[in-house]
């Protein structure tokens, strides 16, 4: 089985978000970058499947050289090899098109992404990629098993869950619950240093959208405290003052 | 601007998020001298279809083939693509529901259209086409310029008021030829938790954290939620230790929500949690630690033990509800 996992390089979840250059750029100063947590789950699940059934897991990232620590970490977790498409990931369409151009002749049995990146929260790459490659795309899967060329999947839907089957190849986006992340061990970290990381140049496509400026939400006013001995008062404040109930 | 809206239904009923999307599209159409074509997929009654006109659909295209009663991303995106051609649309509006998220990017790729998801504003068309979307899981906003000739905009549920804008009812049936070979996903079983309000659409949310001490105490959260007609949610640690299902986890790596009211009980307010709830209109924090960071993000706060405070709040809520 030949599996591709798309990974994104994102700021750590504890990052205090700020912007520079007149609010046009994310301020990366002092920010620790990690593999997008959902992508890491996708990678771990892909490894579990190939370890049991045989096969390889390739990770692909669209990014400049500064994403390589995250790619090396993916290799340390257990990916077979890695590809970095050497370009600034301007928007989801651009990223998906780059990955599609790389993947179209590689014969992957299935492709996993995270359900969204925790920085730009687009959640679009899996669907874009599926359409570009002419494959089904299944969003936010919480379970996947492969059996005789058929994937048995479960996905979140509004207010519930759907079980579905899909023949190979396909693209699916990982949701929490798919598996537990793995911490790389020393052997993995050593092995990652010599695993192949291929850098390919992007194909000339233009991104159809661009984030032109950023803004932080307006700060909250002071919190109105209610005496715990008189907690029922909250309900009348919510009803009469805030008018939300 | 000619606009196509995906009018998603669940078992023959339109969702609140659908009316929101139709009203949003109607708002853009009226400021750009355009029109709205609402696209319904699957079997549905004419009475229900007519509801779409109430919120501003100039035309309703109904693809009522029985084979389309089950959602698949492959078939639904082909139908929407067909509707875009029929309507000559430049803009596709879809609500960011689970199905919407599955179908929207496929439509964008078919149309070679730029796409923005998680959109929380009407477009500014004074210089290009700029929409505001939430990024960094609610920690910030980004203004995105969309320069492609066709565009797909996926709006965040609960972000817009559902304004009535009644139009004459104009329903047309349509038929898209679906490439059967491309539809390879097959739904086996759908289970919907009955009587539950979906978290992303809920206007009121009651949420519990580790301060609730254990899953056996969740009846307090549920009683308050039921009394108010609210959905229930939880913090990450609570879903990590399986007190509650992960589908209730709100925060940076869970669901981002923006209800009118978010009541956080026994949740300290870590930055990752606040990211997922900070766009709520009114936030209430209940915590026994006066230093809990949640109080800095809340509009109302109670410093106290949840097990003493909650029964009083539940009683007051019951009184309010029985009086109204």
């Amino acid at each position: 089985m030949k599996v591709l996992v798309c990974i994104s390089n994102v700021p750590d979840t504890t990052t205090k978000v700020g912007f520079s250059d007149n609010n046009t750029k994310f301020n990366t100063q002092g920010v620790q970058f990690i593999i997008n947590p959902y992508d890491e789950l996708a990678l771990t699940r892909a490894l579990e499947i190939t370890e049991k059934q045989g096969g390889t897991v390739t990770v692909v990232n669209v990014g400049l050289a500064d994403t390589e620590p995250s790619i090396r970490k993916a290799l340390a977790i257990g990916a077979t090899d890695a590809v970095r498409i050497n370009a600034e990931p301007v928007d989801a369409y651009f990223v998906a098109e780059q990955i599609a151009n790389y993947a179209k002749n590689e014969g992957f049995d299935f492709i996993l992404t995270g359900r969204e990146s925790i920085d730009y929260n687009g959640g679009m790459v899996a669907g874009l990629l599926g359409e570009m490659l002419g494959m089904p795309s299944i969003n936010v899967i919480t379970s996947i098993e492969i059996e005789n060329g058929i994937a048995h999947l479960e996905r979140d839907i509004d207010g519930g869950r759907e079980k579905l089957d899909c023949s190979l190849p396909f693209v699916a986006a990982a949701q929490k619950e798919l598996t537990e992340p793995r911490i790389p061990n020393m052997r993995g970290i050593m092995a990652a240093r010599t695993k192949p990381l291929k850098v390919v140049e992007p194909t000339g496509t233009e991104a159809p959208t661009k984030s032109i400026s950023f803004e932080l939400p307006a700060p909250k006013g002071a919190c109105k405290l209610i005496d715990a001995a008189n907690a029922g008062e909250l309900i009348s404040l919510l009803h009469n003052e805030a008018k939300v109930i | 601007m000619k606009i196509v809206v995906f009018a998603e239904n669940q078992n023959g009923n339109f969702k609140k998020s659908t009316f929101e999307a139709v009203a949003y599209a109607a708002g853009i159409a009226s400021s750009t001298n355009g029109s709205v074509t609402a696209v319904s997929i699957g079997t549905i009654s004419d009475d229900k279809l007519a509801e779409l006109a109430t919120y501003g659909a100039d035309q309703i295209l109904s693809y009522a083939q029985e084979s389309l009663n089950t959602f698949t991303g492959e078939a639904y995106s082909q139908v929407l693509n067909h509707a875009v051609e029929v309507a000559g649309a430049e803009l596709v509006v879809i609500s960011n529901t689970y199905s919407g998220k599955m179908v929207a990017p496929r439509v964008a790729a078919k149309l070679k259209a730029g796409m923005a998801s998680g959109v929380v504003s009407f477009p500014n068309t004074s210089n290009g086409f700029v929409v505001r979307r939430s990024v960094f899981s609610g920690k910030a906003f980004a203004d995105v310029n969309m320069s492609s000739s066709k565009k797909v905009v996926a709006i965040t549920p609960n972000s817009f008021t559902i304004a009535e804008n009644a139009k004459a009812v104009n329903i047309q049936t349509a038929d898209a030829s679906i490439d059967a070979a491309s539809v390879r996903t097959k739904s086996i079983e759908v289970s919907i938790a009955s009587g539950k309000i979906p978290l992303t659409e809920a206007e009121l949310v009651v949420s519990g954290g580790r301060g609730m001490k254990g899953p056996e105490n969740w009846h307090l959260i549920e009683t308050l939620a039921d009394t108010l007609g609210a959905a229930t949610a939880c913090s990450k640690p609570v879903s990590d230790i399986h007190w509650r299902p992960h589908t209730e986890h709100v925060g940076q790596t869970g669901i981002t929500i923006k209800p009118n009211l978010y009541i956080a009980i026994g949740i300290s307010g870590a930055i990752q949690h606040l990211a997922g709830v900070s766009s709520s209109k009114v936030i209430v924090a209940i915590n026994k630690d006066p230093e809990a960071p949640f109080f800095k993000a809340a509009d109302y706060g109670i410093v106290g033990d949840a097990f003493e405070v909650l029964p009083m709040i539940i009683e007051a809520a019951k009184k309010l509800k029985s009086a109204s």
Side-chain angles (χ1 to χ4, degrees):
Chain A
M1 201 133 27
K2 205 175 156 188
V3 186
L4 180 68
V5 178
C6 310
I7 63 167
S8 181
N9 187 51
V10 299
D12 185 317
T13 56
T14 55
T15 303
K16 201 161 184 292
V17 173
F19 302 99
S20 61
D21 294 24
N22 201 16
N23 285 330
T24 58
K25 280 201 181 85
F26 174 62
N27 187 353
T28 56
Q29 216 166 37
V31 172
Q32 170 97 28
F33 280 82
I34 56 170
I35 303 175
N36 184 45
Y38 298 111
D39 305 348
E40 202 174 326
L41 295 179
L43 170 62
T44 311
R45 188 66 195 123
L47 292 169
E48 289 165 0
I49 291 170
T50 52
E51 281 162 8
K52 213 165 95 188
Q53 308 186 7
T56 57
V57 177
T58 301
V59 290
V60 62
N61 167 261
V62 177
L64 301 176
D66 58 355
T67 69
E68 288 197 4
S70 285
I71 300 176
R72 286 286 170 208
K73 187 179 172 203
L75 292 168
I77 292 170
T80 318
D81 59 354
V83 172
R84 181 171 66 80
I85 300 171
N86 190 26
E88 187 84 49
V90 188
D91 80 345
Y93 199 103
F94 176 83
V95 167
E97 201 158 41
Q98 295 302 329
I99 296 173
N101 284 336
Y102 155 73
K104 66 184 172 199
N105 298 320
E106 293 286 324
F108 290 107
D109 290 294
F110 64 93
I111 301 174
L112 296 183
T113 70
R115 84 160 185 174
E116 64 181 39
S117 67
I118 60 164
D119 51 2
Y120 291 97
N121 309 105
M124 299 184 269
V125 168
L128 289 165
L129 196 53
E131 185 63 38
M132 287 168 181
L133 293 170
M135 296 176 190
S137 51
I138 301 117
N139 260 34
V140 303
I141 59 161
T142 53
S143 166
I144 176 172
E145 301 288 343
I146 312 278
E147 206 176 51
N148 306 322
I150 302 280
H152 306 296
L153 307 133
E154 285 185 27
R155 72 174 188 106
D156 280 348
I157 55 174
D158 290 293
R161 210 29 90 74
E162 181 182 28
K163 282 188 185 168
L164 64 163
D165 282 357
C166 186
S167 56
L168 306 180
F170 62 89
V171 184
Q175 164 71 310
K176 238 183 114 173
E177 218 182 81
L178 187 64
T179 188
E180 296 290 328
R182 264 184 206 183
I183 295 159
N185 57 25
M186 194 41 78
R187 221 173 100 213
I189 294 166
M190 298 303 283
R193 291 186 189 167
T194 53
K195 281 182 179 173
L197 192 172
K198 194 165 82 177
V199 179
V200 301
E201 289 306 313
T203 47
T205 50
E206 218 174 297
T209 73
K210 189 176 189 299
S211 297
I212 49 174
S213 65
F214 297 93
E215 195 179 307
L216 294 170
K220 277 264 179 193
C223 176
K224 193 168 192 169
L225 284 176
I226 299 145
D227 185 7
N230 196 14
E233 173 69 12
L234 173 69
I235 293 294
S236 61
L237 283 169
L238 293 176
H239 182 64
N240 299 318
E241 189 178 86
K243 297 191 193 326
V244 287
I245 57 170
Chain B
M1 181 171 269
K2 288 183 174 164
I3 308 167
V4 154
V5 191
F6 174 33
E8 184 185 354
N9 77 75
Q10 200 160 31
N11 301 325
N13 289 305
F14 288 118
K15 308 162 73 125
K16 185 181 135 210
S17 55
T18 296
F19 297 135
E20 201 177 353
V22 173
Y24 176 82
I28 300 173
S30 71
S31 64
T32 58
N33 222 352
S35 63
V36 177
T37 301
V39 179
S40 171
I41 309 179
T43 314
I44 190 158
S45 70
D46 277 3
D47 286 356
K48 292 284 175 194
L49 287 174
E51 291 175 353
L52 299 171
T54 314
Y55 300 101
D58 298 283
Q59 183 190 27
I60 297 152
L61 273 184
S62 172
Y63 294 80
Q65 294 82 342
E66 216 171 288
S67 59
L68 292 171
N69 283 352
T70 310
F71 173 88
T72 64
E74 303 97 289
Y76 274 44
S77 57
Q78 288 176 47
V79 171
L80 283 165
N81 195 41
H82 183 263
V84 168
E85 273 175 32
V86 170
E90 302 145 74
L91 174 65
V92 181
V93 172
I94 295 180
S95 182
N96 241 356
T97 61
Y98 280 108
S99 299
K101 280 181 185 170
M102 197 140 144
V103 89
R106 296 196 71 101
V107 173
K110 272 187 216 294
L111 298 173
K112 300 201 184 323
M115 175 176 164
S117 64
V119 170
V120 295
S121 80
F122 279 98
N124 180 343
T125 51
S126 61
N127 182 16
F129 187 100
V130 178
V131 288
R132 175 160 281 210
R133 53 187 303 269
S134 57
V135 290
F136 296 96
S137 310
K139 288 180 193 168
F141 296 105
D143 289 332
V144 178
N145 186 40
M146 307 180 75
S147 53
S148 52
S149 59
K150 288 194 165 58
K151 302 164 183 75
V152 176
V153 167
I155 60 171
T156 300
N158 273 353
S159 299
F160 301 93
T161 47
I162 306 178
E164 289 202 12
N165 183 356
K167 300 279 172 69
V169 177
N170 171 12
I171 301 172
Q172 288 170 30
T173 54
D175 193 349
S177 54
I178 305 290
D179 171 15
S182 71
V183 182
R184 291 199 278 113
T185 51
K186 191 168 154 253
S187 183
I188 305 293
E189 189 189 327
V190 171
S191 43
I192 304 268
S194 61
K196 279 228 167 183
I197 301 163
L199 201 44
T200 46
E201 287 187 28
E203 288 179 357
L204 311 172
V205 174
V206 180
S207 185
R210 257 184 313 194
M212 289 306 295
K213 299 219 162 75
E216 67 278 8
N217 298 320
W218 237 260
H219 63 96
L220 287 168
I221 302 274
E222 280 168 342
T223 310
L224 180 58
D226 288 347
T227 311
L228 296 172
T232 55
C234 70
S235 66
K236 183 172 186 289
V238 163
S239 83
D240 282 351
I241 48 184
H242 305 296
W243 288 0
R244 300 297 290 176
H246 84 92
T247 46
E248 283 197 359
H249 161 203
V250 294
Q252 182 153 18
T253 54
I255 304 171
T256 303
I257 54 171
K258 45 184 309 177
N260 284 337
L261 173 64
Y262 183 75
I263 303 181
I265 303 158
I267 304 175
S268 63
I271 187 167
Q272 296 96 326
H273 185 80
L274 293 179
V277 302
S278 57
S279 11
S280 308
K281 201 171 139 210
V282 173
I283 293 177
V284 176
I286 299 172
N287 205 298
K288 65 178 179 190
D289 174 10
E291 300 298 319
F294 226 133
F295 290 116
K296 288 200 175 69
D299 301 282
Y300 297 98
I302 299 177
V303 180
D305 185 336
F307 299 101
E308 286 165 21
V309 163
L310 271 177
M312 285 191 263
I313 295 173
I314 291 168
E315 197 197 307
K318 282 185 174 160
K319 222 177 255 171
L320 175 77
K321 289 293 162 184
S322 63
S324 61

